């Protein structure tokens, strides 16, 4: 029988939101067992966090470098590591584990600079290791179906792209001196040069690329910081130009009052429109030109891509955690293929990788350049 893959985690200790999400996602399809972690840089907190997750004390580390070396030396060492740290640690942590021969599953953004991202991509290729990036929304069955519809030409030639990621959790004014104690999102040394841009803007950008299959050539961007005493941007708006003549708009905001987690994508082609809102993830709206608006549902659509990402019968809703789990399942399928020398299953190739992370950082870098130049049209680097 196929055993579970041995998983480690860096970051995500007690009280951390995204670490718990990763652990739940890894368990849903029963492909992993969490056996080691550097859950905090504080030794006492790391040990307590590890104990709460049933990690043996000798495999609960407070230094990720020591963890990478020790686990690589064990016969039963971890085969993959999940990185759920603040942004500035993504590149150094990933580098330590790639150099130790361990596959990486990393939260977005890939890194805090395009140079770091390119170095990680080169290292992962050199080591022939998986580097998965958890762009969660690409795990939804209906977004995978939408992608298949676009590839099959069902919407015709792409003309317009509209993508949005809006939240309101940073809409409140903050006290002088920055954000709440321990919140690193407003600290450029930890978050990187973008606030909302690197937190959710890269999610929106990846989603548009993932479904449309196209990458813009140029963009014009403006960053805003609405809340006093905030260092980094809290609102992003971008215009996009594509090689085929299509136009696009992207806006990402964390000061959009009344918005919880609105992630919406609309694609307009010469034949039809697709419309998806992740707060209603079991609905994809398809409207042919001159026809009626049609609601597509998981379990009722017939693409292989959607079937691969659907776990329950039609009428049983699936959501965020299952989409996250899909990325972990695809990562497991990829790791097992690499271990056995077999081809990665076609259905798992939708998994976002380090290359998607590099593309996101190229987008962010172009946004920053455009804004710094007074909102000028700027070419994206490849």
């Amino acid at each position: 029988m196929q055993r579970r893959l041995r998983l480690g985690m860096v970051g995500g200790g007690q009280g951390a939101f995204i670490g718990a999400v990763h652990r739940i996602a890894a368990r849903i399809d029963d492909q992993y067992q969490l056996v080691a972690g550097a859950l905090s840089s504080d030794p006492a907190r790391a040990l307590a966090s590890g104990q709460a997750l049933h990690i043996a004390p000798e495999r609960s580390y407070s230094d990720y470098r020591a963890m990478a070396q020790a686990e690589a030396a064990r016969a039963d060492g971890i085969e993959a590591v999940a990185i759920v740290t603040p942004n500035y640690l993504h590149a150094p942590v990933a580098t330590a584990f790639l150099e130790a021969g361990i596959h990486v599953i990393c939260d977005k953004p890939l890194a805090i600079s395009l140079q770091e991202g390119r170095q990680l991509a080169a290292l992962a290729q050199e080591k022939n290791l998986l580097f998965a990036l958890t762009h969660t929304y690409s795990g939804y069955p209906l977004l995978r179906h939408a992608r298949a519809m676009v590839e099959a030409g069902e919407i015709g030639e792409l003309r317009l792209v509209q993508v949005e990621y809006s939240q309101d959790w940073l809409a409140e004014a903050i006290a002088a001196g920055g954000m709440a104690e321990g919140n690193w999102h407003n600290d450029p040394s930890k978050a990187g040069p973008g606030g909302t841009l690197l937190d959710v803007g890269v999610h929106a950008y990846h989603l548009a690329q993932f479904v449309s299959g196209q990458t813009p050539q140029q963009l014009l961007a403006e960053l805003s910081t609405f809340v006093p005493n905030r260092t980094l941007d809290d609102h992003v708006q971008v215009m996009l130009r594509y090689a085929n003549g299509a136009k696009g708009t992207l806006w990402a905001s964390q000061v959009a009052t009344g918005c919880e987690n609105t992630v919406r994508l609309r694609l307009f082609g010469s034949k039809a429109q697709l419309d998806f809102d992740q707060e209603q993830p079991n609905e994809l709206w398809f409207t042919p030109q001159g026809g009626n608006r049609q609601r597509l549902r998981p379990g009722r659509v017939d693409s292989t891509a959607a079937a691969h990402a659907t776990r329950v019968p039609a009428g049983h809703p699936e959501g965020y955690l299952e989409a996250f789990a899909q990325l972990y399942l695809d990562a497991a399928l990829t790791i097992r293929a690499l271990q056995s020398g077999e081809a990665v299953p076609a259905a798992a190739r939708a998994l976002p990788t380090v290359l998607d992370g590099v593309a996101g950082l190229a987008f962010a870098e172009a946004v920053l350049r455009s804004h710094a130049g007074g909102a000028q049209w700027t070419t994206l680097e490849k």
Side-chain angles (χ1 to χ4, degrees):
M1 292 180 64
Q2 203 171 49
R3 61 171 179 79
R4 297 179 182 91
L5 294 170
R6 296 182 295 272
L7 179 68
M9 178 170 283
V10 177
Q14 292 176 328
F17 159 71
I18 202 64
V21 170
H22 277 256
R23 291 190 291 270
I24 292 168
R27 290 198 301 268
I28 283 178
D29 292 300
D30 205 24
Q31 294 291 309
Y32 301 87
Q33 181 180 3
L34 183 66
V35 297
L39 304 177
S40 173
S41 58
D42 176 80
R45 182 178 172 83
L47 182 60
S49 296
Q51 288 174 336
L53 297 173
H54 314 292
I55 295 174
E58 67 273 15
R59 301 184 76 174
S60 187
Y61 308 87
S62 58
D63 186 310
Y64 67 84
R65 298 179 188 86
M67 175 179 165
Q69 294 170 3
E71 291 297 318
R74 294 179 64 112
D76 63 348
I78 62 171
E79 295 157 281
V81 65
I83 301 174
V84 292
T85 63
N87 299 350
Y88 76 106
L89 288 170
H90 289 183
V93 175
T95 298
F97 283 89
L98 289 172
E99 289 179 341
I102 295 168
H103 300 284
V104 170
I105 302 169
C106 186
D107 208 47
K108 57 77 215 161
L110 174 61
I112 60 172
S113 73
L114 182 55
Q115 180 181 2
E116 281 186 341
R118 288 172 171 163
Q119 290 171 345
L120 288 173
L123 182 58
Q125 181 178 30
E126 175 192 335
K127 298 291 187 178
N128 194 31
L129 293 167
L130 171 68
F131 195 125
L133 198 66
T134 53
H135 278 300
T136 319
Y137 308 104
S138 63
Y140 280 120
L142 287 177
L143 282 175
R144 295 200 173 188
H145 184 69
R147 176 178 172 163
M149 293 177 73
V150 172
E151 289 175 349
E154 293 189 44
I155 71 166
E157 183 180 8
L158 183 69
R159 290 176 173 171
L160 303 172
V161 176
Q162 291 188 345
V163 63
E164 164 193 352
Y165 198 138
S166 53
Q167 302 173 320
D168 67 357
W169 74 282
L170 294 180
E172 301 287 342
I174 56 177
M179 299 177 71
E181 182 71 24
N183 193 326
W184 51 267
H185 290 82
N186 193 46
D187 183 348
S189 69
K190 294 182 178 179
T196 294
L197 172 63
L198 287 177
D199 196 21
V200 297
V202 292
H203 262 317
Y205 180 72
H206 176 263
L207 179 58
Q209 273 194 300
F210 179 79
V211 180
S212 74
Q214 296 200 34
T215 301
Q217 288 188 325
Q218 292 183 308
L219 60 77
L220 182 153
E222 181 181 48
L223 301 175
S224 301
T225 305
F226 282 96
V227 175
N229 303 320
R230 182 164 290 152
T231 304
L232 295 171
D233 60 273
D234 52 26
H235 180 84
V236 183
Q237 50 196 41
V238 186
M239 296 175 63
L240 305 167
R241 288 175 175 168
Y242 292 84
N244 74 334
K247 309 297 183 184
T249 58
L250 178 154
W251 74 281
S253 183
Q254 291 173 316
V255 294
T257 308
C259 292
E260 295 175 343
N261 199 68
T262 303
V263 184
R264 188 177 184 189
L265 175 67
R266 292 198 290 171
L267 299 181
F268 301 82
S270 57
K271 295 180 180 179
Q273 174 204 141
L274 288 172
D275 187 350
F276 179 85
D277 179 349
Q278 87 87 32
E279 291 188 0
Q280 303 295 329
N282 294 282
E283 297 179 347
L284 171 66
W285 292 92
F286 173 72
T287 309
Q289 173 61 26
N292 294 316
R293 185 170 163 88
Q294 304 168 28
R295 185 179 69 167
L296 308 182
R297 302 273 291 175
R300 298 286 186 176
V301 295
D302 58 2
S303 68
T304 301
H308 174 63
T310 301
R311 292 169 178 77
V312 296
H316 294 75
E318 294 188 79
Y320 174 77
L321 293 174
E322 290 87 353
F324 222 115
Q326 188 60 41
L327 305 187
Y328 268 88
L329 175 59
D330 289 340
L333 292 171
T334 304
I335 291 169
R336 294 189 193 282
L338 290 171
Q339 290 175 337
S340 64
E342 299 175 354
V344 176
R349 295 175 195 164
L351 175 69
T353 70
V354 66
L355 297 179
D356 294 282
V358 172
L361 291 172
F363 162 74
E365 191 272 345
V367 166
L368 291 166
R369 280 192 290 121
S370 175
H371 174 74
Q376 298 179 344
W377 282 104
T378 302
T379 300
L380 276 78
E381 293 188 29
K382 295 183 179 179

